[in-house]
C-alpha cells in the first residue's frame, strides 16, 4: 500500500483513477490542479506523485519539479497524452520520473504504480 498524490484536472478521470488505485489498496489524495496538489504535499508525505501534465495554472511538470524539491525521495509518474512534452530535456523534469501515455487501461496504471513503488 502506498500513499499517492493524484493531480488531474479532469474530474471524471480523477475520480476514475482514484477509485482504481484505492481498489488496488493504495491511499489516494486527489487534487484538481497543481497548486492544490502542492498544498497537499506540504501537509503530509506521499510515496508517489501521479500527475497529468496539461493542467490549468501550475502544470504537471512544474508541480513535479517543486515536489521533487520538497521531497526528493518521492517517486513521480506522469499520465499524459503528450509524452514528448514530458520527455523533452528542456522541461527539466525530474530524472527518475516515469511517463504513462494516455489512453491506458486501468490495469496498466495499477501495474506501473506497483512497479514504481516497489523499485
Amino acid at each position: 500500500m502506498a500513499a499517492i498524490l493524484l493531480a488531474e484536472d479532469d474530474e471524471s478521470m480523477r475520480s476514475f483513477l482514484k477509485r482504481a488505485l484505492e481498489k488496488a489498496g493504495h491511499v489516494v489524495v486527489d487534487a484538481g490542479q497543481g497548486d492544490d496538489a502542492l498544498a497537499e504535499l506540504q501537509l503530509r508525505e506521499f510515496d508517489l506523485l501521479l500527475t497529468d501534465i496539461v493542467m490549468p495554472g501550475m502544470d504537471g511538470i512544474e508541480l513535479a519539479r517543486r515536489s521533487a524539491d520538497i521531497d526528493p525521495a518521492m517517486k513521480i509518474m506522469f499520465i499524459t497524452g503528450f509524452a514528448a512534452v514530458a520527455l523533452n530535456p528542456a522541461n527539466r523534469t525530474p530524472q527518475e520520473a516515469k511517463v504513462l501515455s494516455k489512453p491506458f487501461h486501468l490495469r496498466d496504471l495499477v501495474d506501473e504504480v506497483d512497479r514504481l513503488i516497489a523499485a
Side-chain angles (χ1 to χ4, degrees):
M1 176 180 80
I4 299 173
L5 178 56
L6 170 64
E8 166 65 62
D9 62 315
D10 182 304
E11 187 175 342
S12 60
M13 174 68 89
R14 187 172 67 249
S15 176
F16 195 55
L17 297 175
K18 181 177 181 176
R19 281 194 312 270
L21 291 165
E22 288 175 338
K23 188 175 179 181
H26 301 291
V27 174
V28 181
V29 173
D30 64 313
Q33 51 188 341
D35 293 334
D36 294 339
L38 193 61
E40 289 291 340
L41 184 60
Q42 293 169 341
L43 296 175
R44 60 180 284 197
E45 289 185 12
F46 293 93
D47 300 302
L48 172 68
L49 169 63
L50 181 60
T51 183
D52 191 8
I53 290 180
V54 179
M55 294 186 290
M58 183 188 308
D59 67 16
I61 292 172
E62 180 65 20
L63 173 60
R65 269 188 268 177
R66 290 187 183 189
S67 297
D69 288 343
I70 292 169
D71 184 357
M74 183 177 56
K75 304 204 174 163
I76 298 170
M77 180 184 291
F78 294 108
I79 48 173
T80 184
F82 303 96
V85 173
L87 298 173
N88 183 342
N91 286 330
R92 297 185 347 230
T93 55
Q95 283 187 322
E96 311 299 314
K98 302 294 179 197
V99 178
L100 185 62
S101 295
K102 293 178 185 176
F104 52 80
H105 189 276
L106 285 179
R107 182 79 249 158
D108 295 334
L109 171 69
V110 170
D111 289 346
E112 286 298 317
V113 165
D114 289 345
R115 270 194 288 275
L116 188 56
I117 295 298

